[in-house]
Amino acid sequence: MNTENQEMEQFQAEENKVEKEIKTLEITDEVTTQLDGAGKWGKFLAILGFVFLGLLVMAGVVMSFVFAIIPKNNFTPMPFPSFLFGLIYLVMGIIYFFPVLFLFRFSTGINNALLFKNQDQLVNAFKNLKALYRFIGIFMIVGLVLYLLAFIIMIFAGVFAGFSSVTGGMHA
């Protein structure tokens, strides 16, 4: 019985020792190579993103001015002012700016951290990667909610349109 207690105490002591050990990750040469490649591709994609962002904003500004000065009788009537097309491009540019910025910060941060072996830059790089994924995640949630609302609105519009045609479209 006494031997069993000693074995149990020894087992628990070893378990506690394992729990107290500090776990660390090692950045090996292979990990460094992969992170460096991810940083380079990320920087390439971020620079392309900034270029397309600039084109998007320029298109929005041009469309706003062009639609504002074109005579209204050349267009079929629209339920909203035509310059809003350009404004939509500008809003899309503002939304698109943040993920591109986070990607650029991650890419330059990861490359600098590996080049200078700087832990703080590595941490900041991964903070920007987290911010990028958080932004995309929130954006996806908002998009899914909007799709769900649009789907519900379409169902109700279809039901009411069908109901209106069955009842003969009676007016009050």
Side-chain angles (χ1 to χ4, degrees):
M1 196 63 132
N2 197 8
T3 332
E4 286 180 19
N5 287 340
Q6 287 176 345
E7 287 177 8
M8 184 64 108
E9 287 174 6
Q10 185 179 8
F11 178 73
Q12 288 175 347
E14 287 177 17
E15 227 177 63
N16 289 338
K17 181 181 172 186
V18 169
E19 288 178 10
K20 290 180 183 178
E21 285 181 18
I22 297 174
K23 307 230 182 205
T24 60
L25 295 175
E26 183 180 348
I27 299 180
T28 62
D29 288 340
E30 184 180 354
V31 172
T32 301
T33 302
Q34 298 300 324
L35 286 173
D36 187 52
K40 287 176 182 174
W41 278 106
K43 192 170 189 177
F44 171 73
L45 292 173
I47 290 170
L48 278 181
F50 283 129
V51 168
F52 286 115
L53 180 63
L55 293 173
L56 186 70
V57 169
M58 284 184 356
V61 169
V62 168
M63 286 176 66
S64 291
F65 285 126
V66 168
F67 281 135
I69 62 173
I70 291 178
K72 303 299 181 228
N73 56 1
N74 291 348
F75 288 111
T76 58
M78 286 189 252
F80 52 86
S82 56
F83 75 89
L84 283 181
F85 283 115
L87 188 63
I88 290 170
Y89 274 74
L90 293 174
V91 169
M92 286 181 357
I94 291 169
I95 292 170
Y96 187 58
F97 172 77
F98 292 103
V100 172
L101 177 66
F102 293 140
L103 179 60
F104 183 77
R105 286 180 179 172
F106 163 73
S107 302
T108 55
I110 200 74
N111 287 335
N112 288 337
L114 295 173
L115 181 65
F116 300 117
K117 305 222 182 308
N118 187 319
Q119 185 70 30
D120 291 334
Q121 286 182 330
L122 184 67
V123 169
N124 285 332
F126 279 108
K127 282 182 182 178
N128 280 289
L129 184 63
K130 177 186 173 186
L132 170 66
Y133 286 131
R134 181 178 52 226
F135 184 90
I136 292 172
I138 291 169
F139 194 74
M140 291 301 294
I141 290 169
V142 169
L144 289 172
V145 167
L146 291 176
Y147 276 124
L148 181 63
L149 287 174
F151 184 71
I152 291 170
I153 289 170
M154 286 189 308
I155 288 174
F156 279 115
V159 166
F160 288 124
F163 181 71
S164 175
S165 67
V166 167
T167 59
M170 288 191 257
H171 302 313

